[in-house]
Amino acid sequence: LEFRRVLFRSETGLHARPAGMLAKLVRDADCAVTITKGDKSIDAGKLIAVMGLGIHQGDEVIVSADDEEVLAKLKYFFETYL
């Protein structure tokens, strides 16, 4: 399952605070979640990996999860915080 986040609105992109919130959300979900930017895919539960993607305003990423409920929570997170 996946959804596309076409545009990051945040001028600062995915910086440390929201990246930490995202990683915690994924770890608490107990479900495999992957974020893909370009040709690089990472485990979204690992803060350093999330930060390493270098997501900036206007970037497109693909978020994949094994669970529809988790995916809905992630979509809400991205729409609310980014």
Side-chain angles (χ1 to χ4, degrees):
L1 305 169
E2 68 182 32
F3 75 86
R4 249 177 230 269
R5 174 68 184 165
V6 176
L7 179 67
F8 271 77
R9 299 172 302 174
S10 173
E11 292 179 9
T12 55
L14 187 59
H15 58 89
R17 185 170 173 217
M21 292 168 58
L22 174 62
K24 182 179 181 340
L25 175 68
V26 170
R27 286 191 309 269
D28 291 348
D30 195 30
C31 162
V33 177
T34 303
I35 299 177
T36 303
K37 177 185 169 194
D39 60 354
K40 188 174 181 182
S41 294
I42 57 99
D43 175 350
K46 298 184 178 184
L47 175 60
I48 298 300
V50 173
M51 295 290 300
L53 277 180
I55 299 171
H56 301 288
Q57 184 180 31
D59 284 350
E60 178 182 90
V61 298
I62 298 171
V63 179
S64 305
D66 295 337
D67 181 292
E68 276 191 54
E69 187 176 319
V70 171
L71 202 53
K73 288 179 183 179
L74 290 166
K75 185 174 182 181
Y76 175 80
F77 173 84
F78 276 78
E79 290 172 351
T80 303
Y81 296 103
L82 303 171

